[in-house]
């Protein structure tokens, strides 16, 4: 019970419920299930990116290139679809994941083989990927008229009452959850974040683990590239501009420690949902969109303050849990 | 995020072999890169080798370069400030607001610089007072500061700055040498002395190499970090004055994306992102290189976003080259 009360996910879930309750108090239609599902659907892409980012941050790295990766793969898939509308969409999606993973692997290789700090590598590729998106398209947009109907409609269809886009997020979350909690890879992400030196002595290849985290983050960014472009039915060089920091913010709000080693799938999802709910609530209560940036800034600062106060006693969480169990 | 444990520190060999190490230094690599780009530029465009054209070139890096000087110190202590561009936006917006109440030029400058210092102090307080990681704090204040600018301005803009105010961004001291360039060179010298020839500078390096050891040897780590955040705030405020004066208007989207350019300059200048190493000369050279690249590509009508491919590649290649070279030599030995 005590552990439950201290759990960050619980408090974050309560905070989200509180925001929903406050808005619903004034605007009863906000809490309608259909609206809540819309919010979840709108946040799906952010959630997937946050899950990939979490894996990277766990290993004491950071991936600032996610939004540029999204813009580049989104542009490439939209151009491909416009030029060859007969290629089946599932194949295109698979292509996006592969291209995104390839871009992530480029980041990962530079970090692994050349030992360049991740923030420098991804700062470079942030600009390179977005520039390449411009080169690929020649600076033009790909708009709805150029995309095939299958391409646009696939993620809009519903399955068991939920849009396919939401299902993408749910499946990705489930897979990342399994990866993090049930596989040696997941344990390796946490281990090198908590103590890289100790991880080396237990036989974990730190460089390769970081590489894998970047590949995962890249693959999810690539997938998000297709989803973003088909959701907003436009592929431009500016797609998801500046989004990389929103993704990092979602992780931080979700309790992922920027120092590595601490963070959960549930936390990252709730962090993204929190930003989604706040962003959806602001226009409803009549706050001008210009306030949005300042409010999300405040939310980030508040979350870091909370993180820092709760993390201080958490030096060896894994052992503490073991003590409780024993 | 900084990976302290995985990398060992090695002692510099400049004491053993000063001439060899000067020739093989990061700065000489940067000089070579700069010369190469300069020569390429002069062949690529007939308009490049012209005193006014070269003078225009300096506007490409002076504002960002001023911030990079202070950012170098922050990064040497192992922290980072991603909010600098948003500080420019907020300072510029409040200058515009002061203008609506009829502020004269000295007041405008005071507002710009003052807002910069206050924003920096706020960052510094969050990082040192509440012991929060600077990368997250400044991602937060980055949204916060620019958000406030958006709240005040919406989609409007402030115009009508006085003539003598625009001199800060458009004026020339002598012939083609602009006020911005002179200010940048003076600031570079001040920061050079501050970092390399004062006790304060030695403490900055000490914190970056080992903050705990520095604390135990009597360095007031938090106070120095706080001062450094105020300093980046101050330089951002000054950059806000210059940029606003040069553009003659304020929009909330002013200086968008500057923070990444500034960090690129610092890292390209040889400052270790893990802290503890770097030089002001390197940062000045890196600022010049970025200016040369963007200006040269601009003369060739390369769109801004394509330029970013070059700056990004330059960043990665220049950092990767010495590492690859070392691996190559070790393999042969």
């Amino acid at each position: 019970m005590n552990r439950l009360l201290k759990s960050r996910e619980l408090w974050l879930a309560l905070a989200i419920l509180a925001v929903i309750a406050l808005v619903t108090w004034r605007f009863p239609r906000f809490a309608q299930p259909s609206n809540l599902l819309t919010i979840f659907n709108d946040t799906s892409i952010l959630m997937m990116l946050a899950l990939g980012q979490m894996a990277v941050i766990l290993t004491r790295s950071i991936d600032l290139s996610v939004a540029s990766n999204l813009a580049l793969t989104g542009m490439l898939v939209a151009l491909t679809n416009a030029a060859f509308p007969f290629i089946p969409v599932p194949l295109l999606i698979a292509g996006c994941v592969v291209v995104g993973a390839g871009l992530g692997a480029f980041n990962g290789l530079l970090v692994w083989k050349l030992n360049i700090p991740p923030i420098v590598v991804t700062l470079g590729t942030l600009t390179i990927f977005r520039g390449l998106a411009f080169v690929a398209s020649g600076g033009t947009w790909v708009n709805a008229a150029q995309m095939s109907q299958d391409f646009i409609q696939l993620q809009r269809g519903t399955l068991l009452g939920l849009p396919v886009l939401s299902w993408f997020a749910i499946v990705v979350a489930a897979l990342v959850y399994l990866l993090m909690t049930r596989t040696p890879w997941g344990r390796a992400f946490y281990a090198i974040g908590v103590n890289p030196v100790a991880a080396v002595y237990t036989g974990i290849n730190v460089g390769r683990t970081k590489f894998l985290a970047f590949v995962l983050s890249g693959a999810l960014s690539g997938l998000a590239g297709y989803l973003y472009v088909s959701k907003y039915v436009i592929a431009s060089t500016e797609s998801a501009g500046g989004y990389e920091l929103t993704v990092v913010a979602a992780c931080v709000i979700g309790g992922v420690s920027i120092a590595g080693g601490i963070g959960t799938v549930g936390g990252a999802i709730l962090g993204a949902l929190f930003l989604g709910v706040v962003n959806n609530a602001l226009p409803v209560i009549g706050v001008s969109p210009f306030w949005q940036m300042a409010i999300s800034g405040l939310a980030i600062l508040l979350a870091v303050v909370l993180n820092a106060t709760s993390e201080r006693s958490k030096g060896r969480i894994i052992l503490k849990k073991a003590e409780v169990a024993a | 995020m900084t990976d302290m444990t995985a990398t060992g520190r090695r002692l510099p060999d400049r004491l053993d072999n000063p001439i060899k190490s000067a020739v093989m230094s990061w700065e000489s690599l940067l000089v070579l890169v700069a010369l190469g780009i300069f020569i390429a530029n002069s062949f690529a465009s007939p308009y490049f080798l012209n005193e006014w054209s070269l003078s225009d070139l300096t506007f490409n890096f002076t504002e960002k370069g001023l911030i990079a000087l202070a950012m170098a110190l922050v990064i040497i202590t192992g922290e980072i400030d991603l909010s600098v561009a948003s500080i420019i936006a907020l300072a510029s917006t409040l200058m515009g607001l002061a203008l609506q109440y009829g502020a004269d030029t000295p007041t405008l400058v005071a507002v710009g610089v003052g807002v910069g210092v206050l924003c920096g102090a706020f960052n510094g307080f969050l990082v040192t007072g509440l012991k929060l990681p600077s990368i997250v704090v400044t991602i937060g204040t980055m949204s916060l500061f620019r958000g406030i600018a958006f709240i005040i301005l919406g989609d409007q803009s402030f115009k009508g700055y006085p003539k003598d105010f625009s001199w800060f961004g458009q004026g020339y001291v002598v012939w083609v040498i602009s006020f911005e360039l002179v200010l940048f060179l003076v600031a570079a010298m001040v920061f050079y002395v501050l970092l390399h020839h004062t006790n304060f500078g030695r403490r900055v390096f000490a914190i970056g190499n080992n903050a705990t050891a520095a604390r135990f040897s009597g360095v007031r780590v938090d106070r120095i970090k706080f001062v450094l955040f105020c300093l980046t705030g101050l330089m951002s405020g000054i950059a806000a004055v210059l940029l606003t004066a040069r553009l003659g208007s304020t929009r909330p989207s002013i200086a968008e994306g500057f923070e990444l350019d500034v960090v690129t300059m610092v890292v390209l200048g040889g400052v270790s992102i893990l802290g503890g190493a770097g030089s002001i000369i390197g940062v000045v050279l890196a600022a010049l290189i970025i200016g040369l690249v963007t200006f040269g590509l601009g003369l060739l009508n390369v769109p801004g976003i394509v330029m970013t491919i070059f700056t990004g590649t330059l960043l990665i290649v220049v950092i990767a080259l010495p590492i690859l070279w070392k691996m190559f030599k070790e393999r042969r030995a």
Side-chain angles (χ1 to χ4, degrees), chain B residues 265-287:
Chain B
M265 279 179 188
V266 174
V267 174
L268 190 60
V271 174
S272 162
I273 200 93
L274 306 176
S279 81
I280 291 295
I281 297 179
V283 174
V284 172
L285 286 169

Side-chain angles (χ1 to χ4, degrees), chain A residues 127 130-132 134-135, chain B residues 297 302-312:
Chain A
T127 58
R130 207 173 273 281
L132 286 177
F134 183 94
V135 173
Chain B
L297 294 172
V302 174
I305 189 139
V306 178
M307 285 181 197
T308 64
I309 302 183
F310 288 90
T311 48

Side-chain angles (χ1 to χ4, degrees), chain B residues 6 17 25 43 61 83 107 160 170 172 186 232-233 249 253 267 321 323:
Chain B
N17 201 337
S25 73
F43 276 107
F61 65 82
S83 71
T107 323
Q170 302 167 5
Y172 292 88
V186 170
T232 35
S249 76
S253 60
V267 174
L321 268 184
I323 302 171

